[in-house]
Amino acid sequence: MKEYKEIKVVLVGNPNVGKTSILNHLVKGNLRIGNWPGVTVEKKEGHVFFNGYKITFIDLPGIYTLEEIISEDEKIAFDFIVSRDYDLILNIIETPRIERDLYLTCQLLDIEKPLILVLNMIDEAESYGMEVNVERLSELLNVKVFKTNGRTGEGIKEILPAIVEVYKKNTKPITINYPKEIENKIKEKNTFKWLKLQEIIKENPELYKIIKEKQLSFSKGLTKEVVRKKILYKKTLTETLDSLFLHPLLGIFFFILIMYLFFKISFDFSFPFIDWIDNFLQNFLGPIITKNLENIGAPHFLISFIVGALIGGVGIVLSFVPLIFTMYFLLTLLETSGYLPRVAFLMDSFTHKIGLHGQSVIPLILGFGCNVPAVIATRTFQDTKDKLLVISMIPFISCPARLIVFSFIVSIFFEKPALIIFILYLIGIILSILTSLVLRKTLLEKKLSHFVMDLPPYRIPSLKIVFNITKAYLKDFVYRAGTIIFTVSVVMWLLLNLPFGEENLENTFAGKIGKTLSYIFEPIGLGDWRISTSILSGFLAREAIISNLGVIMTQEKKDTLETNQNLEDRELKAKIKELLTPKQALSFLLFVLIYNSCFATVVIMAKEGNLKFALGFWLYSFILAWLISFINFKLF
């Protein structure tokens, strides 16, 4: 096997300069998305083999400056840059805002590492009447400079040969010449220039202002030297769209419309694939495997385990794939187009009242579609406490799986089902907000930081890049969460089917656990073991609570799907009506609403936060659900 020498390259730049788009073109879709070790900040990286080298690219979180570090993602970028544990810096610049971005470039010069400048979004700069003298910029900084269009990939293919050449020659950029007094002190230090400057500032804080003014004047002078602007008298597309999308009233209207279309497309597109996957596994693959195993004389339990547990577990994991892919494709589309930052801006004044930033709105709204992608959507948050706070709000948002349970039970016991369902949704939202307020004052206490939002111009997204980013998110979900979801689903199947050969579900391990739990549920009116067992088995999927209750009540050991198809709705409803009173039914609904009974959500919370946090919240939701159900059952 051929050995490749590795070149480690870091992509550095301000937020929203198109680093991920450049990375996608460089690695040709070989993109991996995960978290930085020990934290919940998103990490993007990829590699490509070129001219005998393995070039590894690490996309650092956006950072404006190597000073005044505030957020966790900025700290990660800062620590990695100053660690110098890489071979070359690929500094991405948003060309229309070149003067702002060159300030960071000036600081990177003092890191004294090989550096290549990438002037991205050159097409936008030209549309604004900007011209950049690349040759002069390259000459002044002693670096290679490339003009690129991250959306189309124009100019990016020249970067790989340049990386190899700069690495071989170890070509380093110039460093800034500071006043003589500072330069003399620099010569006395034995480290790289940026760190020397920090030591000098620590010894004499008054020199900080002089050093910063020199960096600012250098970046401004550099811009003046290489940039020419033509005066264009025309209203840009961004200004036109912002007059609609950021309008106090029209902005809300368009936001609601876009979110409606988001959910409609997500469900309308993904549900046929989900149904196809379910039918393929249950009605095609399952029967074929069963028949072949029977032909070779395999034991019945083994056949049942392979078809019910293994194939069923795969089915549970795969059932998330179409919805997560569709939602994240649309979400990435909205993000790369420049619309999502405007949602944060539009909602910021409202969310500040409950201790959150405007960016919290999107994950919370996604929760109405599915809690799993909603939790994943928080990985773009800059601050860990903000991220954990929003994650703790999401499980109270009712998803369609809960709606299935609500609709079935409410139609049996209440005359105005729509009103009851609306009240349940409202209770979930209120508990979500109350939880955030309590956590902000206790475990996740933090003064709400105020920052100037960076609103990038609107852009037409590259579908290829959007697809590659979505694919990376999906792979990360399957690898990190799918394996755990599959394992837990197999364990749940075993609980429902052991001891093998037991015809009565009451005597299975799940039934025995349900009976044990019935003592806990007795004070809230749900002491019947059939109810507690159905809630336990519903941990696989909330919507399975009803079908599993049907299996239990008919005392049949059949596949859940088959039972649900064969059991008449009115017969099951009649049995449930005999089992529960309206007050008990409301306790049941409140418990399903509040308790985080979706193990896929628990797994994702552990992955995006941490295991202690996920289990702690799971216990908190159980206690809160029990208390509110108790109040309902005893006092009303």
Side-chain angles (χ1 to χ4, degrees):
M1 184 177 179
K2 185 176 180 181
E3 291 187 6
Y4 292 87
K5 190 169 184 179
E6 185 178 22
I7 304 175
K8 190 183 289 187
V9 180
V10 288
L11 281 74
V12 182
N14 288 192
N16 300 313
V17 297
K19 291 188 282 85
T20 304
S21 298
I22 299 293
L23 177 61
N24 259 282
H25 286 292
L26 287 170
V27 302
K28 303 186 186 303
N30 183 24
L31 178 66
R32 297 190 304 276
I33 295 179
N35 286 344
W36 288 87
V39 293
T40 61
V41 177
E42 185 177 81
K43 180 181 183 181
K44 297 188 184 82
E45 59 183 329
H47 67 267
V48 65
F49 295 96
F50 182 80
N51 283 0
Y53 288 90
K54 178 186 177 183
I55 306 176
T56 300
F57 294 94
I58 301 169
D59 183 7
L60 295 183
I63 186 170
Y64 289 104
T65 172
L66 297 183
E67 58 195 26
E68 300 173 4
I69 303 302
I70 299 173
S71 65
E72 187 175 31
D73 57 341
E74 287 178 330
K75 186 177 186 307
I76 285 171
F78 169 80
D79 289 344
F80 200 90
I81 290 169
V82 300
S83 74
R84 302 174 87 239
D85 184 25
Y86 49 86
D87 301 302
L88 187 144
I89 297 172
L90 198 62
N91 182 201
I92 316 296
I93 286 176
E94 183 181 351
T95 312
R97 303 182 182 186
I98 188 171
E99 183 175 338
R100 178 202 68 178
D101 289 13
L102 280 176
Y103 178 63
L104 175 61
T105 304
C106 291
Q107 293 180 320
L108 294 176
L109 297 176
D110 290 336
I111 297 294
E112 296 184 306
K113 275 284 191 178
L115 184 144
I116 293 176
L117 273 184
V118 177
L119 304 182
N120 196 28
M121 306 176 194
I122 195 68
D123 56 322
E124 291 180 15
E126 291 171 351
S127 71
Y128 297 150
M130 291 179 62
E131 294 179 359
V132 182
N133 188 334
V134 171
E135 291 76 17
R136 182 60 176 157
L137 182 58
S138 175
E139 179 184 324
L140 289 170
L141 298 182
N142 191 37
V143 298
K144 288 187 175 292
V145 183
F146 297 95
K147 293 181 178 180
T148 64
N149 181 333
R151 187 175 64 84
T152 64
E154 178 186 350
I156 296 177
K157 65 180 180 180
E158 289 86 5
I159 294 176
L160 290 178
I163 289 174
V164 174
E165 181 184 343
V166 171
Y167 173 77
K168 284 182 175 179
K169 295 180 179 179
N170 195 30
T171 307
K172 294 181 180 178
I174 66 158
T175 58
I176 298 173
N177 285 318
Y178 295 95
K180 189 174 181 181
E181 174 193 0
I182 296 175
E183 286 293 336
N184 288 336
K185 290 180 178 291
I186 288 173
K187 292 175 183 178
E188 298 172 1
K189 307 288 183 181
N190 186 26
T191 184
F192 60 98
K193 193 167 187 176
W194 184 87
L195 193 56
K196 291 176 183 178
L197 291 170
Q198 305 315 302
E199 292 175 359
I200 291 170
I201 292 170
K202 191 174 181 180
E203 294 169 1
N204 188 352
E206 294 179 0
L207 294 178
Y208 169 75
K209 186 177 180 181
I210 298 173
I211 292 170
K212 184 169 183 176
E213 285 178 351
K214 180 62 179 178
Q215 291 171 342
L216 283 168
S217 63
F218 186 89
S219 62
K220 288 180 179 179
L222 191 62
T223 305
K224 190 174 182 180
E225 180 75 20
V226 301
V227 176
R228 297 289 179 269
K229 294 182 180 179
K230 299 175 184 177
I231 300 177
L232 300 178
Y233 298 98
K234 66 175 183 178
K235 193 174 184 180
T236 65
L237 175 65
T238 294
E239 291 172 330
T240 302
L241 292 177
D242 275 348
S243 66
L244 299 173
F245 291 144
L246 295 183
H247 189 276
L249 295 179
L250 288 176
I252 299 294
F253 168 77
F254 281 112
F255 171 69
I256 294 172
L257 177 62
I258 290 170
M259 286 297 101
Y260 167 76
L261 292 174
F262 177 92
F263 281 113
K264 181 170 178 56
I265 293 171
S266 294
F267 289 113
D268 288 354
F269 181 80
S270 62
F271 274 17
F273 290 99
I274 294 172
D275 290 339
W276 183 87
I277 290 170
D278 185 62
N279 286 326
F280 174 78
L281 293 175
Q282 298 289 340
N283 301 328
F284 178 74
L285 186 60
I288 287 178
I289 292 176
T290 300
K291 185 176 181 180
N292 288 324
L293 289 174
E294 286 175 346
N295 290 339
I296 63 173
H300 179 66
F301 178 78
L302 179 62
I303 297 173
S304 182
F305 176 75
I306 291 174
V307 175
L310 300 185
I311 295 179
V314 170
I316 289 174
V317 174
L318 292 181
S319 67
F320 285 100
V321 169
L323 184 60
I324 287 179
F325 179 87
T326 308
M327 279 191 164
Y328 263 87
F329 183 87
L330 296 176
L331 199 63
T332 306
L333 202 66
L334 291 174
E335 183 179 14
T336 53
S337 70
Y339 179 71
L340 276 193
R342 277 142 178 103
V343 173
F345 180 84
L346 188 67
M347 298 294 178
D348 203 52
S349 58
F350 167 73
T351 54
H352 266 230
K353 295 177 183 178
I354 57 174
L356 298 170
H357 290 299
Q359 66 181 147
S360 310
V361 171
I362 295 297
L364 293 174
I365 290 176
L366 288 180
F368 287 105
C370 180
N371 287 176
V372 173
V375 173
I376 297 175
T378 62
R379 62 172 46 182
T380 59
F381 280 32
Q382 295 177 341
D383 184 88
T384 299
K385 287 187 176 181
D386 288 341
K387 178 177 181 176
L388 294 179
L389 191 68
V390 175
I391 289 176
S392 68
M393 296 174 70
I394 290 170
F396 294 112
I397 305 298
S398 291
C399 61
R402 280 196 184 107
L403 181 59
I404 292 172
V405 180
F406 293 167
S407 301
F408 192 87
I409 299 296
V410 165
S411 65
I412 300 173
F413 292 96
F414 302 101
E415 294 181 358
K416 296 180 180 179
L419 177 62
I420 299 299
I421 291 174
F422 174 77
I423 291 172
L424 289 170
Y425 268 72
L426 192 60
I427 291 172
I429 293 170
I430 292 171
L431 289 175
S432 177
I433 294 173
L434 289 176
T435 296
S436 74
L437 292 174
V438 171
L439 288 176
R440 184 60 90 194
K441 297 291 185 181
T442 54
L443 298 177
L444 300 177
E445 185 178 8
K446 168 181 171 288
K447 186 177 180 182
L448 186 64
S449 57
H450 297 269
F451 59 91
V452 178
M453 291 188 186
D454 183 22
L455 298 181
Y458 292 98
R459 303 180 178 106
I460 299 175
S462 164
L463 293 182
K464 182 179 179 182
I465 291 174
V466 171
F467 176 80
N468 286 335
I469 293 173
T470 306
K471 184 175 70 174
Y473 276 119
L474 192 62
K475 284 170 61 179
D476 183 56
F477 166 77
V478 172
Y479 291 154
R480 295 172 65 214
T483 51
I484 298 175
I485 293 172
F486 172 78
T487 302
V488 175
S489 67
V490 171
V491 171
M492 286 299 299
W493 184 92
L494 290 171
L495 290 175
L496 288 164
N497 288 272
L498 290 175
F500 177 66
E502 176 58 56
E503 293 295 328
N504 194 334
L505 194 59
E506 182 178 358
N507 297 323
T508 63
F509 290 163
K512 291 175 181 177
I513 294 173
K515 283 185 176 182
T516 303
L517 292 176
S518 65
Y519 297 104
I520 299 174
F521 288 102
E522 182 71 36
I524 64 175
L526 305 176
D528 193 294
W529 73 270
R530 292 169 288 185
I531 297 295
S532 55
T533 304
S534 68
I535 292 175
L536 172 67
S537 59
F539 193 56
L540 278 177
R542 291 188 183 108
E543 63 271 28
I545 291 175
I546 299 301
S547 57
N548 288 334
L549 186 58
V551 174
I552 294 169
M553 295 189 69
T554 53
Q555 296 292 296
E556 292 176 350
K557 285 295 303 294
K558 292 183 179 179
D559 179 81
T560 301
L561 178 64
E562 179 185 328
T563 303
N564 196 35
Q565 289 173 338
N566 294 337
L567 190 64
E568 292 291 338
D569 273 358
R570 61 174 176 269
E571 181 183 345
L572 178 57
K573 287 180 178 180
K575 289 179 179 291
I576 293 175
K577 198 165 187 176
E578 294 174 3
L579 182 66
L580 299 172
T581 65
K583 185 182 286 190
Q584 288 174 311
L586 189 55
S587 283
F588 180 78
L589 291 171
L590 287 169
F591 193 86
V592 172
L593 165 70
I594 302 166
Y595 171 49
N596 187 20
S597 59
C598 174
F599 82 95
T601 303
V602 175
V603 170
I604 290 296
M605 289 176 73
K607 292 296 182 182
E608 295 302 323
N610 56 70
L611 182 60
K612 184 179 178 181
F613 164 75
L615 293 178
F617 180 85
W618 178 73
L619 181 61
Y620 161 75
S621 70
F622 182 90
I623 294 171
L624 184 63
W626 192 95
L627 287 173
I628 292 179
S629 298
F630 178 82
I631 292 170
N632 164 75
F633 185 66
K634 294 296 184 182
L635 302 183
F636 295 101

